[in-house]
Amino acid sequence: MKILEGKTALITGASRGIGQGVARLLAERGANVAFTYLSSEEKARILEESLSASGVKAKGYKSDASVFAEAEALVTQVMEDFGQIDILINNAGITRDTLLMRMSEEDWDQVMQVNLKSAFNLTKAVLRPMLKARNGSIINMSSVVGVKGNAGQANYAASKAGLIGFTKSVALELGSRNIRCNAIAPGFIETEMTGALDDATVQSWRDAIPLKRGGTPEDVANVCVFLASDWSSYVTGQVIHVDGGMLT
């Protein structure tokens, strides 16, 4: 069902993992997709072709979401190329995991810059076109770690908790202009990053999850489609957990 037909989505960090799964499903549901990547132009071009096969317009942009000027330039270019931005998905994120006593200032600052400041950068940049259209859906990719914390991830947890506060504040500010802002808090999602973990670690995660499996990028993407579409037109300021019951 093409429930996103006629809409344009901008997704940060979509060349792999959850971001790529979201981009693919949004295209399948009819959305034109603009996405960012940082390093692999080859992967970006392959994704462009794959998304275009769904009959939508798709284009990748090399852009660092954590740099305000690049975010502004990106939105300007996407508006020129697509004519509109109806959906913003702030997905770019990194980890620099270590215990707090070993964490460097650089470890802290890099995670905050990419995971939290990038959401500010892109959200502020899309406000003008969304306010003019009096319509928009902003989706921030948080994490269950931002709700419950996790040893060895003080920087990551703080950045993801910050996204939740940011989401709720933006929802309150922009609701009167018909712009919605929600967050998704994924749990253990099996991607290239988790593929580097040993089997015992992965199994211990699965055993702790009521549904007894890790999630997939498509599990997260399904919620993104809902929040991006008019089906969620009365949903804003919410944090939706996609975690198999991990925090139940």
Side-chain angles (χ1 to χ4, degrees):
M1 184 181 297
K2 305 285 188 179
I3 62 170
L4 298 177
E5 191 167 14
K7 295 182 182 292
T8 294
L10 172 56
I11 309 169
T12 61
S15 62
R16 63 177 184 171
I18 290 174
Q20 186 176 118
V22 169
R24 291 185 185 281
L25 192 59
L26 262 62
E28 288 177 17
R29 296 295 178 263
N32 297 313
V33 176
F35 66 91
T36 70
Y37 66 96
L38 261 184
S39 54
S40 179
E41 184 168 353
E42 182 181 1
K43 283 185 178 180
R45 298 303 163 237
I46 291 172
L47 181 58
E48 272 184 7
E49 292 179 10
S50 176
L51 298 177
S52 297
S54 297
V56 301
K57 182 175 180 178
K59 186 171 182 178
Y61 300 82
K62 186 173 183 178
S63 179
D64 187 343
S66 70
V67 178
F68 186 75
E70 290 196 30
E72 284 193 314
L74 169 68
V75 168
T76 297
Q77 190 60 56
V78 172
M79 286 297 296
E80 287 183 13
D81 294 341
F82 288 81
Q84 63 192 79
I85 300 174
D86 308 285
I87 304 153
L88 170 65
I89 301 176
N90 287 309
N91 171 73
I94 61 170
T95 57
R96 294 289 184 270
D97 297 350
T98 189
L99 295 175
L100 184 61
M101 65 182 298
R102 296 174 184 163
M103 187 176 293
S104 67
E105 183 180 8
E106 184 181 16
D107 289 334
W108 177 273
D109 289 346
Q110 283 186 343
V111 169
M112 286 297 179
Q113 194 82 7
V114 175
N115 295 7
L116 184 55
K117 186 171 186 287
S118 66
F120 163 78
N121 292 344
L122 268 297
T123 301
K124 186 170 176 63
V126 301
L127 282 188
R128 185 171 284 108
M130 284 189 175
L131 287 169
K132 186 176 181 179
R134 297 187 69 86
N135 187 61
S137 176
I138 300 166
I139 303 167
N140 295 319
M141 204 61 67
S142 183
S143 168
V144 294
V145 172
V147 178
K148 73 180 187 67
N150 196 36
Q153 288 192 307
N155 49 2
Y156 185 77
S159 70
K160 295 301 186 177
L163 276 176
I164 291 174
F166 179 72
T167 295
K168 291 180 176 292
S169 298
V170 171
L172 289 170
E173 284 190 26
L174 302 179
S176 64
R177 304 299 290 271
N178 197 38
I179 299 170
R180 299 179 294 110
C181 187
N182 294 284
I184 297 175
F188 185 72
I189 306 299
E190 298 190 17
T191 64
E192 292 174 18
M193 290 177 67
T194 59
L197 300 174
D198 62 82
D199 291 344
T201 300
V202 172
Q203 192 56 51
S204 69
W205 273 99
R206 291 172 179 160
D207 290 343
I209 297 169
L211 290 183
K212 301 303 178 188
R213 69 172 179 87
T216 67
E218 290 70 30
D219 290 322
V220 179
N222 284 329
V223 179
C224 274
V225 168
F226 168 70
L227 292 175
S229 75
D230 294 338
W231 288 0
S232 60
S233 62
Y234 202 53
V235 178
T236 194
Q238 302 305 302
V239 182
I240 299 180
H241 291 230
V242 184
D243 64 3
M246 184 187 294
L247 294 191
T248 301

